[in-house]
Amino acid sequence: MPVDQELFDAVRQADRDRVAEAVRAAIDRGAPVSSLLMNSMVPAMREIGDRFAAGEVYIPEMLMAARAMQAGLDIIEPLLGTSDHEPIGRVAVGTVKGDMHDIGKNLVVMMLKGSGYEVTDLGVDCPVEKYEEAAAGGATVLCCSALLTSTMTYMEQVVGRFQKDPAIKVIVGGAPVTQRFAEEIGADGFAEHASEAARVVSACLAGE
Ligand code: B12
């Protein structure tokens, strides 16, 4: 599906009310919510990041765009639905220590909930101890998100902590994270997009 230009522009221009209106209008027209996310909202945030890197926008603009994006996510989340059945697995998702970016992490949480998993949101700036608590509480898959090249290296500590425990799987993701990096640090899984997180979690639980 092509980009919803109005929604793309509204996120890019950090206009919360317009984002909310554009999301509602697109849903009323029958647009699939995953497409609104992946084809319009995520690319708009990427463009903001590119402009930040080029020195054309500053942190306050990035923050406002993030808030506008969150306004759209708040409308979309209930529509992804949660199942009334027994959870198909228990997962914990957090942004690693030192990193405050939470939009991608929130998307992963939404997608996994929508796929029938019981998900604990560990928040941002998560040290290894938070993942340990989640594992002690019954989570068998731990998802780590990082958006900074300086924090993605922390994922290795989380992976290392659980490497000797075959019952716990660690999955990594986030803009700077690659399949190669995931393999290098010994992670059990990687996905480029939140929309693939459920498939990777399912593969891990199946021992693939
Ligand atoms: C919004 C934003 C902010 C906001 C964050 C608000 C929030 N609530 O999250 C604010 C303004 C606070 C911010 C702060 C900073 N930011 Co910032 N930020 C961004 C920006 C523009 C968008 C990030 C985003 O939300 N993208 C949209 C989401 C949906 O994408 P995503 O997180 O990548 O997630 C997708 C996938 O990666 C995947 N995914 C994510 N996590 C996971 C986890 C798993 C397990 C899986 C399977 C998948 C998965 O699923 C998602 C959907 O497909 C990016 C630019 C960019 N291109 O990423 C810069 C960026 C990440 N920031 C950057 C920087 C430098 C900073 C600061 C250091 C700036 C500063 N000087 O203070 C601080 C760091 C603060 C900290 N300690 O964390 C740099 C990082 C550069 C680098 N190489 O490390 C970027 C790349 C901008 C740039 N081009 O320079 N930032």
Side-chain angles (χ1 to χ4, degrees):
M1 187 178 159
V3 173
D4 180 321
Q5 195 61 45
E6 169 60 10
L7 181 54
F8 179 86
D9 289 342
V11 174
R12 202 172 46 156
Q13 290 162 20
D15 188 331
R16 291 177 75 159
D17 293 342
R18 238 175 99 199
V19 170
E21 273 168 35
V23 167
R24 286 199 192 93
I27 290 168
D28 287 348
R29 284 197 307 274
V33 286
S34 56
S35 167
L36 294 179
L37 277 172
M38 296 307 163
N39 296 334
S40 301
M41 297 168 77
V42 171
M45 288 303 290
R46 202 171 298 133
E47 190 188 291
I48 300 276
D50 292 345
R51 295 184 61 207
F52 173 77
E56 292 166 13
V57 299
Y58 299 95
I59 293 172
E61 283 100 328
M62 276 207 293
L63 197 50
M64 283 164 67
R67 288 189 180 143
M69 171 111 174
Q70 192 60 49
L73 296 184
D74 290 345
I75 298 170
I76 286 172
E77 178 164 20
L79 300 175
L80 287 173
T82 44
S83 101
D84 293 333
H85 308 295
E86 271 291 292
I88 53 177
R90 293 198 163 80
V91 185
V93 186
T95 302
V96 295
K97 191 174 171 187
D99 202 320
M100 303 299 169
H101 294 87
D102 68 357
I103 297 177
K105 184 264 298 167
N106 294 346
L107 274 176
V108 173
V109 169
M110 278 168 53
M111 295 297 181
L112 291 174
K113 279 186 182 169
S115 303
Y117 290 95
E118 184 182 296
V119 185
T120 306
D121 185 343
L122 302 177
V124 297
D125 194 21
C126 291
V128 167
E129 291 76 17
K130 269 211 168 174
Y131 293 97
E132 284 174 343
E133 276 168 32
T140 57
V141 181
L142 308 174
C143 295
C144 300
S145 178
L147 264 285
L148 300 173
T149 44
S150 56
T151 58
M152 66 191 255
T153 49
Y154 190 79
M155 291 173 161
E156 192 168 0
Q157 295 195 38
V158 182
V159 169
R161 166 62 186 82
F162 295 100
Q163 214 146 31
K164 293 206 173 75
D165 187 344
I168 305 291
K169 306 290 180 195
V170 180
I171 293 175
V172 296
V177 181
T178 59
Q179 177 72 47
R180 186 170 168 190
F181 174 78
E183 284 167 15
E184 275 170 11
I185 65 169
D188 297 294
F190 160 77
E192 200 175 333
H193 295 295
S195 52
E196 298 152 25
R199 178 185 56 72
V200 176
V201 168
S202 161
C204 271
L205 290 175
E208 288 165 19

